[in-house]
């Protein structure tokens, strides 16, 4: 039986895809508005069009729009999704929107708000009534905005994805059916599709009768398309995500995919008459604290860069992969537009830092919350990201005892009487020597990114079990929530400057805490930049109050991308919150340094 959406601009019949009745191949690329500074949306979309693509697709990150349940979702400024879609249309691009509500995307919590998963736990992404009610309220706000921009209303949106790779997670068919109807009931009249990995297990759990089934893969295109044809003979072939590169975790190598390897698989897709979306066409950056994490027996936090070895690099430069792919797309009927010049890069320079407040004095200057018998989680404290400083004053008997932390998510620095005694990555213990008196015990816990994929999605953060001295639990905790991504420039400046000690010298090199550095740019000088932090260990960095993201000496990346719109003519200020040990200067490099490369091709 032929399955087709007759009211949509994109339709299909007898295994072929049509656009307004004309045979069509979707030549798409993923570009996420939430990973690109809004002042650069048009530039990046122009580069995508110059790649020869006729379509752009984007996820919608729910948590990016609605960080708290008691606040309305925001669609202004960086969150102006309608403006992003409109710009794409002005450039002659069709738009595919992937509204989730779950998106994965190596994005914190897979795009689901932390406040929601704190309520529903593992019942997220199911037909649980509480979860569906929250999704319904979100879609009530989101979907009318998108429906107004559909092709049927003169806009550029030509398709919507139903959920995201659901067959990799579960098999609640009633949930998927409810989502499909939720989109339709709120005005979605264009083509709807599901996307799953090319295995029977994944397609069984993630596809819907009457809805186009597509596949996501990085290799073995013929096998993937053969499986789709065996299940949906009348439907067109669409690779909804072609993984031409890959993302990186902290402490691993920088994943790349060679041009010949990626180009060959792209050729297989196009030669089979398939449509395709590059994942990613332009990766962008996990600014702030938005990077997610995976879990493979241990937490695997994703780095700040989301370059993904894409054809359009993190800072917008075109690559050898861009030119190879462009030849393919132009030959397939894509537009042959001029290729924009690469962005201007700020010249290399070194900037001395000024040491400010020490780590514990600065964070301890913030008024703590009232005492609780047990350590509360991030969720109980009402924050999604950042740090929490836990404090207690247990009596430690004479001699050495084990201090143990259970249910630790994710990383803890432990201090006794102001001195660091060790770091825990997940559950573990450290020796503590007591004198029979009370000690000042402080545990600084970092949320390194919420899991974005798999059955541990929605897992809480903080100390979820307890803290023990020997066999005895420690009770009586005060807590200081530190939502770094919510600090204003004034709050950040006040914390950083308290107790400033002047220009950093050798005696300060190992100190954790705040550092600042200033530099001046003249007229016409602001440009894209790559910031390195030699001698620093692990922490967070802001430029002019804008939180670039995390850095960590374990790599692979050693520079952070600074978008030109963040810099200003005149004085610019870099603020660093270092958790381990500080350096004496910052450095701007003339190119990105994303780490030693490792060839990686994802297969099923």
């Amino acid at each position: 039986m032929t399955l087709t959406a007759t009211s949509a601009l994109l339709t299909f019949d007898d295994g072929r895809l049509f656009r307004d009745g004309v045979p069509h191949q979707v030549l798409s690329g993923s570009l996420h508005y939430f990973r690109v500074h809004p002042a650069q949306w048009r530039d990046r979309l122009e580069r995508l069009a110059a790649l020869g693509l006729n379509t752009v697709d984007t996820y919608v990150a729910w948590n990016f729009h609605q960080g708290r349940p008691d606040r309305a979702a925001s669609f202004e400024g960086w969150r102006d999704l309608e403006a992003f879609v409109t710009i794409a249309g002005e450039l002659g691009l069709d738009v595919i929107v992937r509204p989730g509500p779950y998106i994965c995307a190596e994005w914190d919590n897979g795009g689901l708000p932390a406040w929601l998963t704190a309520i529903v736990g593992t019942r997220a992404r199911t037909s649980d009534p509480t979860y569906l009610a929250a999704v319904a309220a979100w879609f009530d706000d989101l979907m009318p905005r998108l429906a107004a921009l559909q092709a049927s209303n003169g806009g550029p949106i030509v398709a919507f994805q139903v959920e995201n790779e659901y067959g990799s997670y579960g098999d609640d068919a009633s949930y998927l059916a409810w989502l499909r109807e939720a989109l339709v009931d709120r005005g979605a009249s264009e083509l709807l599709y599901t996307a799953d990995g090319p295995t029977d297990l994944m397609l069984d759990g993630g596809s819907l009768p009457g809805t186009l089934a597509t596949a996501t893969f990085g290799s073995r295109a013929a096998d993937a398309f053969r499986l789709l044809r065996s299940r949906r003979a009348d439907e067109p072939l669409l690779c909804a995500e072609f993984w031409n590169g890959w993302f990186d975790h902290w402490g691993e190598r920088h994943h790349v995919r060679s041009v010949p390897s990626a180009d060959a698989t792209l050729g297989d897709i196009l030669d089979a008459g398939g449509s395709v979306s590059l994942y990613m066409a332009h990766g962008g950056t996990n600014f702030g604290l938005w990077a997610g994490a995976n879990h493979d027996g241990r937490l695997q936090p994703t780095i700040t860069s989301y370059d993904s070895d894409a054809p359009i690099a993190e800072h917008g430069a075109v690559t050898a992969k861009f030119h190879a792919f462009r030849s393919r797309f132009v030959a397939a009927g894509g537009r042959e537009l001029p290729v924009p010049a690469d962005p201007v890069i700020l010249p290399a320079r070194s900037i001395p830092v000024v040491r400010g407040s020490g780590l514990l004095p600065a964070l301890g200057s913030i008024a703590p919350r009232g005492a609780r018998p047990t350590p509360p989680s991030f969720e109980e404290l009402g924050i999604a990201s950042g740090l929490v400083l836990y404090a207690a004053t247990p009596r430690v008997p004479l001699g050495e005892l084990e201090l143990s932390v259970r249910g630790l998510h994710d990383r803890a620095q432990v201090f006794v009487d102001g001195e660091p005694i060790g770091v825990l990555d997940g559950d573990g213990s450290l020796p503590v020597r007591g004198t029979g008196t009370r000690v000042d015990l402080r545990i600084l816990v970092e949320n390194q990114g919420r899991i974005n994929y798999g059955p541990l999605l929605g897992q809480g953060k903080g100390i979820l079990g307890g803290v023990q001295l020997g066999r005895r639990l420690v009770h009586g905790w005060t807590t200081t929530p530190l939502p770094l991504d919510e600090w204003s420039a004034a709050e950040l400046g006040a914390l950083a400057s308290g107790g400033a000690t002047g220009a950093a010298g050798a005696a300060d090199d190992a100190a954790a805490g705040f550092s600042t550095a200033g530099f001046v740019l003249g007229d016409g000088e602001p440009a894209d930049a790559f910031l390195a932090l030699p001698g620093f260990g692990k922490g967070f960095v802001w430029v002019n109050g804008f939180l670039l993201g995390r850095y960590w000496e374990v790599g692979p990346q050693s520079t952070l991308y600074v978008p030109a719109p963040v810099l200003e003519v005149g004085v610019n200020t870099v603020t660093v919150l270092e958790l381990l040990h500080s350096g004496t200067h910052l450095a701007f490099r003339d190119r990105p340094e994303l780490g030693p490369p490792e060839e990686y091709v994802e297969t099923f």
Side-chain angles (χ1 to χ4, degrees), residues 517-535:
F519 61 99
V520 177
L521 294 177
D523 290 340
E525 277 198 290
D528 285 344
F530 302 105
L531 177 65
L533 296 97

Side-chain angles (χ1 to χ4, degrees), residues 73 81 104 141 177 266 285 378 385 389 471 582:
L81 174 59
C104 184
D141 196 353
L266 176 61
T285 309
F378 276 58
S385 304
L389 181 62
R471 67 181 62 192
S582 299

Side-chain angles (χ1 to χ4, degrees), residues 426-518:
D427 290 7
S429 60
L430 296 166
V432 176
R433 182 163 294 279
T435 63
T437 61
R438 292 189 179 274
V439 300
D440 177 10
L441 171 63
R442 301 197 183 200
I443 304 177
L444 181 63
V445 175
E446 178 191 357
N447 170 1
Q448 296 190 114
R450 292 178 181 272
I451 293 170
N452 53 254
Y453 181 83
L456 298 182
L457 179 74
Q459 197 173 67
K461 295 295 185 179
I463 299 176
L464 307 185
V467 179
Q468 290 178 225
L469 274 170
R471 67 181 62 192
R472 190 189 80 206
L473 282 165
V474 177
H475 291 126
W477 294 89
T478 60
T479 52
T480 306
L482 302 163
L484 313 181
D485 52 340
E486 297 181 12
W487 286 350
S488 68
E491 289 172 318
L492 177 64
L495 285 169
S497 63
T501 58
D508 300 310
D509 286 353
F514 282 99
S515 298
T516 58

Side-chain angles (χ1 to χ4, degrees), residues 26 87 123 243 354 391 428 495 569:
V26 172
I87 293 170
R123 293 177 285 123
W243 304 320
V354 175
L495 285 169
V569 173

Side-chain angles (χ1 to χ4, degrees), residues 131-503:
Y131 175 70
L132 294 187
V135 175
W138 163 237
F139 276 4
D140 284 344
D141 196 353
L142 172 67
M143 288 308 300
R145 302 172 185 273
L146 298 175
L149 292 169
Q150 292 178 113
S152 57
N153 292 319
I157 295 176
V158 299
F160 295 99
Q161 180 177 290
V162 181
E163 238 266 8
N164 184 63
E165 294 184 319
Y166 187 68
S168 301
Y169 181 82
D171 59 6
D172 189 342
S174 61
Y175 165 57
L176 283 185
W178 181 91
L179 272 180
R180 186 188 193 286
E181 292 312 306
L183 296 172
V184 172
D185 290 347
R186 289 161 179 79
S189 60
E190 299 298 331
L191 178 69
L192 298 178
Y193 70 97
T194 60
D196 290 283
T199 71
D200 284 312
L201 178 76
M202 295 176 182
L203 288 166
D204 285 346
S207 55
L208 274 170
T211 303
L212 174 65
T214 73
T216 60
F217 55 85
S219 59
R220 298 166 51 193
D223 293 343
F225 283 165
R226 189 179 302 113
L227 180 61
L228 284 176
R229 278 279 189 248
S230 72
R231 299 171 66 99
R232 301 287 185 96
D234 293 332
E235 295 184 8
L237 300 173
L238 170 59
C239 176
E241 289 185 13
F242 166 48
W243 304 320
N244 66 95
W246 204 246
F247 58 91
D248 298 333
H249 296 130
W250 290 111
E252 299 177 4
R253 295 174 74 87
H254 172 46
H255 293 128
V256 298
R257 184 169 182 184
S258 70
V259 173
S261 169
D263 184 54
T265 303
L266 176 61
D268 292 341
I269 294 169
L270 297 177
D271 291 346
S275 292
V276 66
S277 184
L278 304 177
Y279 195 94
M280 299 290 296
H282 171 62
T285 309
N286 295 312
F287 293 115
L289 304 178
W290 289 115
N294 290 293
H295 199 288
D296 185 16
R298 63 179 180 84
L299 190 75
Q300 300 169 294
T302 300
I303 68 171
T304 300
S305 171
Y306 202 64
D307 177 85
S308 302
D309 197 32
I312 303 167
E314 182 177 13
H315 63 293
V318 302
T319 66
K321 192 175 289 183
F322 176 100
H323 291 290
F325 284 8
R326 182 172 183 263
S327 296
R328 292 272 185 194
F329 291 132
V330 169
R335 293 177 294 172
E336 191 169 7
L337 301 174
V339 177
D342 286 348
V344 176
I345 304 301
L346 195 70
R349 66 183 71 187
S350 180
I351 308 169
V353 302
V354 175
R355 289 285 292 127
S357 302
L359 181 63
L360 286 185
L363 303 184
S365 69
I366 301 172
R369 301 279 180 91
R372 301 191 188 205
T374 58
S377 67
F378 276 58
E379 294 76 21
E380 290 172 304
L381 293 168
I383 69 169
S385 304
L387 306 165
V388 170
L389 181 62
Y390 297 89
T393 56
R395 187 183 301 277
V396 183
L398 182 65
E400 188 172 284
L401 286 177
E402 287 293 309
L403 176 76
S404 303
V405 183
R406 295 182 293 106
L408 173 58
H409 297 180
D410 298 312
R411 178 181 169 93
Q413 295 173 240
V414 184
F415 303 84
V416 173
D417 293 332
E419 295 298 321
I421 66 167
V423 176
L424 297 174
D425 281 297
D427 290 7
S429 60
L430 296 166
V432 176
R433 182 163 294 279
T435 63
T437 61
R438 292 189 179 274
V439 300
D440 177 10
L441 171 63
R442 301 197 183 200
I443 304 177
L444 181 63
V445 175
E446 178 191 357
N447 170 1
Q448 296 190 114
R450 292 178 181 272
I451 293 170
N452 53 254
Y453 181 83
L456 298 182
L457 179 74
Q459 197 173 67
K461 295 295 185 179
I463 299 176
L464 307 185
V467 179
Q468 290 178 225
L469 274 170
R471 67 181 62 192
R472 190 189 80 206
L473 282 165
V474 177
H475 291 126
W477 294 89
T478 60
T479 52
T480 306
L482 302 163
L484 313 181
D485 52 340
E486 297 181 12
W487 286 350
S488 68
E491 289 172 318
L492 177 64
L495 285 169
S497 63
T501 58

